[in-house]
């Protein structure tokens, strides 16, 4: 959170563009709201367009610089589409906040959790942010 605080304290936040992965709820959504309130343009991303887009549409009523783009950090084609969108619609990106993550089978012990759930978690929480960072 110190990095986010430092970004928010930056004097010239106007015209700065931020992208947040996993921004349809929780910490990602709140960080996006804070950036919007300080003059940033914010691209909110989420895996599920039907959940993310309505949230951002509601934010656009107050903040015209709120944008949505569907992104699944586990699919390189989805990441590539997002990068093309950023370049075509915004021309650049100033801030990346990689916060997309999942927690599967949280009520099971490590010795009982299905290995496929572990793989999906690793793809989303470890490899996904790496792929997004490299692509941008």
């Amino acid at each position: 959170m110190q990095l986010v605080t430092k970004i928010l304290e930056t004097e010239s936040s106007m015209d700065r563009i931020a992208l947040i992965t996993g921004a349809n709820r929780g910490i990602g959504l709140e960080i996006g709201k804070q950036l919007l309130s300080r003059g940033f343009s914010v691209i909110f991303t989420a895996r599920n367009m039907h959940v993310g887009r309505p949230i951002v549409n509601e934010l656009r009523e107050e903040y015209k610089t709120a944008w949505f783009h569907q992104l699944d950090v586990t699919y390189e084609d989805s990441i590539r589409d997002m990068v093309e969108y950023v370049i075509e619609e915004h021309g650049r990106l100033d801030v990346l906040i990689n916060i997309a993550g999942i927690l599967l089978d949280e009520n099971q012990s490590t010795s009982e959790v299905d290995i496929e759930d572990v793989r999906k978690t690793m793809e989303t929480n470890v490899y996904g942010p790496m792929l997004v960072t490299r692509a941008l």
Side-chain angles (χ1 to χ4, degrees):
M1 287 305 267
Q2 287 181 346
L3 178 59
V4 173
T5 303
K6 193 171 227 115
I7 291 167
L8 293 175
E9 291 173 348
T10 306
E11 287 182 31
S12 65
S13 59
M14 298 303 271
D15 300 326
R16 293 187 69 192
I17 302 164
L19 184 139
I20 305 170
T21 66
N24 61 314
R25 62 189 176 104
I27 295 170
L29 179 59
E30 183 58 32
I31 290 171
K33 290 177 180 179
Q34 293 292 319
L35 291 171
L36 285 169
S37 73
R38 288 165 172 81
F40 281 75
S41 290
V42 179
I43 305 164
F44 293 79
T45 70
R47 186 178 30 196
N48 187 332
M49 178 173 56
H50 301 294
V51 172
R53 187 175 302 282
I55 292 167
V56 174
N57 286 345
E58 189 174 309
L59 285 171
R60 282 188 63 81
E61 293 175 15
E62 183 175 352
Y63 302 103
K64 300 303 180 203
T65 59
W67 310 98
F68 177 79
H69 195 273
Q70 189 277 333
L71 173 65
D72 185 330
V73 300
T74 65
Y75 291 100
E76 291 187 47
D77 287 346
S78 182
I79 295 169
R80 207 173 357 265
D81 289 345
M82 178 269 304
V83 171
E84 289 174 9
Y85 165 79
V86 170
I87 292 168
E88 290 173 12
E89 297 298 322
H90 301 279
R92 70 177 201 286
L93 186 67
D94 300 304
V95 177
L96 169 63
I97 299 174
N98 247 331
I99 202 162
I102 61 172
L103 177 60
L104 300 175
D105 282 333
E106 59 189 83
N107 294 324
Q108 288 187 335
S109 73
T110 305
S111 62
E112 296 172 349
V113 69
D114 184 66
I115 194 67
E116 288 307 312
D117 288 340
V118 174
R119 281 192 181 102
K120 185 67 176 172
T121 301
M122 293 297 289
E123 286 175 7
T124 303
N125 298 355
V126 177
Y127 308 128
M130 183 183 297
L131 292 171
V132 170
T133 300
R134 286 181 177 179
L136 289 167

